[in-house]
Amino acid sequence: MTKNMISKNVILRFSPEVVGEPIVYLLVKEFDLVPNIIKASVNPDKQGYILLSLTGEEENYKASLKRLEELGISVQCLMERIKWHEEICTQCGACTAVCPSLALSIRRPEMAIRFDSDKCVACQMCIQACPVNAVTLDL
Ligand code: SF4
Ligand code: SF4
């Protein structure tokens, strides 16, 4: 049977009681996932988060989410946190040139920018490209 490999950017949020859990070790050892930490804020006295990409088999990925939730860690797909602010956008098109998944594209014939959040892979290239901060990552 062919295994479906995926790569997802996710945010793990956890309470102070869970800060000591070896989360990354668990993802590697129990679920054979390859975690790549993009950003983290872990304070023993406060709620923390880890922003990371997870690569591996889809079934293992899904099982790991269940396990993390059992530990009291909330998991959110980063794609859901990328926001395009139409009211700020100047329609310059710079983001469409760098978006690898066509989540940001130019709608024709109107030549208007369109954001399809279902296609977004949360690479954040558009955030760097946008001159007016019309795309944000809301953590
Ligand atoms: S985060 Fe990446 S995939 Fe998502 S809209 Fe921006 S450039 Fe496209
Ligand atoms: S780069 Fe920014 S201003 Fe330009 S089209 Fe994209 S979102 Fe709009």
Side-chain angles (χ1 to χ4, degrees), residues 2-137:
T2 324
K3 288 170 180 169
N4 190 19
M5 300 297 283
I6 56 158
S7 186
K8 300 258 189 197
N9 288 351
V10 296
I11 308 171
L12 311 183
R13 292 181 196 278
F14 40 87
S15 59
E17 301 82 59
V18 193
V19 164
E21 293 286 340
I23 297 164
V24 173
Y25 179 80
L26 180 144
L27 291 168
V28 176
K29 292 301 281 185
E30 284 191 28
F31 300 99
D32 201 22
L33 296 171
V34 179
N36 179 24
I37 296 176
I38 301 162
K39 198 171 173 185
S41 169
V42 181
N43 182 321
D45 305 323
K46 292 185 184 161
Q47 196 182 52
Y49 74 83
I50 304 177
L51 171 55
L52 78 172
S53 74
L54 289 174
T55 305
E57 284 176 31
E58 188 171 15
E59 286 306 309
N60 287 354
Y61 168 75
K62 286 181 183 165
S64 76
L65 300 191
K66 208 164 161 237
R67 178 85 163 87
L68 290 170
E69 274 162 21
E70 281 166 10
L71 285 170
I73 297 165
S74 90
V75 184
Q76 190 166 38
C77 274
L78 198 57
M79 293 78 135
E80 295 161 10
R81 312 303 294 180
I82 298 281
K83 304 284 179 208
W84 173 58
H85 304 278
E86 190 170 1
E87 70 288 1
I88 301 173
C89 176
T90 61
Q91 307 282 318
C92 74
C95 56
T96 64
V98 297
C99 179
S101 64
L102 301 182
L104 279 159
S105 60
I106 299 176
R107 194 171 53 218
R108 295 171 201 275
E110 311 94 298
M111 299 302 285
I113 298 296
R114 175 176 191 269
F115 177 55
D116 183 347
S117 59
D118 289 341
K119 289 186 181 167
C120 178
V121 295
C123 69
Q124 302 179 57
M125 297 291 283
C126 54
I127 294 176
Q128 291 168 33
C130 181
V132 294
N133 300 324
V135 195
T136 54
L137 172 63

